[in-house]
């Protein structure tokens, strides 16, 4: 399963050649419209010139004058430029739509790019970027906040290989800085072939380390409607 996530870069302080990975994101098509989704607080790090985002390791200048921000739910939409959509490379995008031939599972993947493992350098333009892909077999939905919760204990003694999807970099847990804005991906099973695929259902936004030890994500509207219908 290819996770197809993207990341956003801002200039490193006191450097003319380096950019830091300040957040993750993903390209989605809803109602016929392409959007880049991320966490709202990620855009706070991009209030400077010379910022970039990448799609399939192709770098684009970040222009988010057409951004729709929601600080309450900590999610944001960036409308890609025509240059991006018309690029010679065909970008693979997620969808949040249900398909009759796909059976949903309770398993989810959060796939993003930790700052400590990623960055851009002018002298190394082709450097490989490294994703961290966390696998969860259970989640909770809170209707009042419209959030998805994933129990997550990051203490070293609690980290084990089954927490990581095979595409993930290594099996040790990096700091999650830079993961904000990553897609929450529901694993779907084709009822005819048994093949697995991924559907975007949320946007990862924060890590609660202390009391409840949770990862928290905003829920995409289509998935919210489905969860609410199931509970009624």
């Amino acid at each position: 399963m290819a996770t197809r996530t993207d990341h956003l870069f801002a200039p490193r302080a006191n450097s003319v050649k380096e950019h830091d990975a300040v957040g993750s994101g993903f390209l989605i098509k809803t109602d016929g419209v392409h959007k880049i989704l991320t966490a709202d607080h990620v855009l706070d790090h991009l209030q400077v010139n010379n910022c970039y985002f990448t799609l399939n390791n192709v770098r684009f200048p970040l222009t988010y004058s057409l951004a729709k921000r929601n600080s309450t739910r900590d999610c944001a939409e960036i409308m890609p430029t025509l240059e991006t959509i018309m690029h010679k490379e065909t970008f693979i995008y997620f969808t949040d739509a249900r398909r009759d031939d796909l059976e949903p599972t309770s398993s989810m993947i959060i796939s993003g790019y930790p700052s400590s493992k990623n960055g851009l350098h002018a002298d190394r333009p082709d450097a490989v970027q490294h994703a961290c892909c966390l696998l969860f077999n259970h989640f909770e939905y809170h209707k009042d906040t419209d959030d998805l919760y994933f129990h997550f204990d990051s203490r070293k003694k609690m980290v084990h290989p089954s927490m990581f999807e095979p595409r993930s970099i290594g099996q040790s847990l990096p700091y999650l800085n830079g993961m904000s804005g990553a897609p929450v991906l529901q694993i779907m099973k084709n009822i005819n072939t048994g093949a697995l695929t991924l559907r975007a259902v949320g946007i990862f936004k924060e890590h609660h380390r202390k009391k409840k030890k949770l990862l928290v994500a905003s829920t995409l509207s289509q998935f919210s409607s489905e969860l609410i219908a199931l509970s009624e």
Side-chain angles (χ1 to χ4, degrees):
M1 292 180 293
T3 48
R4 307 189 301 269
T5 53
D6 312 301
H7 36 324
L8 300 101
F9 296 93
R12 178 173 295 180
N14 303 315
S15 175
V16 296
K17 290 189 174 184
E18 295 175 283
H19 283 66
D20 291 320
V22 297
S24 299
F26 57 103
L27 183 67
I28 191 169
K29 188 177 183 180
T30 58
D31 299 322
V33 178
H34 292 87
K35 307 171 184 176
I36 298 169
L37 300 186
T38 187
D40 179 73
H41 74 265
V42 170
L43 296 191
D44 293 335
H45 298 286
L46 300 170
Q47 302 291 339
V48 293
N49 295 324
N50 198 25
C51 296
Y52 296 93
F53 70 94
T54 62
L55 293 171
N56 297 10
N57 289 322
V58 180
R59 187 171 67 177
F60 294 94
L62 181 64
T63 302
Y64 60 92
S65 56
L66 296 177
K68 181 180 179 182
R69 303 183 64 170
N70 186 328
S71 59
T72 302
R73 298 194 59 233
D74 196 8
C75 56
E77 302 175 358
I78 304 172
M79 304 305 293
T81 63
L82 184 61
E83 174 194 3
T84 304
I85 298 302
M86 300 301 292
H87 192 270
K88 63 180 180 180
E89 179 169 342
T90 301
F91 296 118
I92 302 173
Y93 53 81
F94 290 108
T95 177
D96 63 347
R98 283 290 299 269
R99 280 173 40 188
D100 292 339
D101 62 335
L102 295 180
E103 179 181 40
T105 74
S106 61
S107 296
M108 305 274 186
I109 295 172
I110 299 177
S111 177
Y113 290 87
S115 299
S116 61
K117 301 293 184 179
N118 296 281
L120 292 178
H121 195 289
D123 296 337
R124 297 187 294 274
D126 299 322
V128 175
Q129 303 297 317
H130 302 286
C132 177
C133 306
L134 301 172
L135 177 64
F136 300 89
N137 294 313
H138 174 75
F139 68 93
E140 297 176 11
Y141 173 67
H142 286 232
K143 183 178 178 181
D144 292 343
T145 59
D146 201 21
D147 283 338
L148 298 171
Y149 288 174
F150 302 88
H151 291 279
F152 183 75
D153 192 335
S154 59
R155 290 177 296 173
K156 188 173 182 178
K157 65 180 181 180
M158 302 300 292
V159 176
H160 47 87
S162 63
M163 294 171 59
F164 301 93
E165 195 264 350
R167 181 176 175 267
S168 188
I169 175 176
Q171 294 182 341
S172 61
L173 188 66
Y175 290 110
L176 299 187
N177 296 344
M179 293 277 288
S180 295
V184 177
L185 304 168
Q186 183 180 32
I187 298 177
M188 311 288 285
K189 183 177 180 179
N190 190 297
I191 60 176
N192 299 313
T193 67
L196 301 179
T197 189
L198 300 171
R199 173 198 182 200
V201 296
I203 306 170
F204 171 60
K205 58 183 181 180
E206 58 185 328
H207 180 195
H208 292 177
R209 292 181 177 85
K210 296 184 179 179
K211 291 184 179 179
K212 295 185 178 181
K213 295 183 171 59
L214 297 170
L215 300 186
V216 185
S218 298
T219 314
L220 298 187
S221 58
Q222 176 64 33
F223 193 51
S224 295
S225 299
E226 294 169 16
L227 294 174
I228 292 170
L230 287 172
S231 66
E232 293 178 346

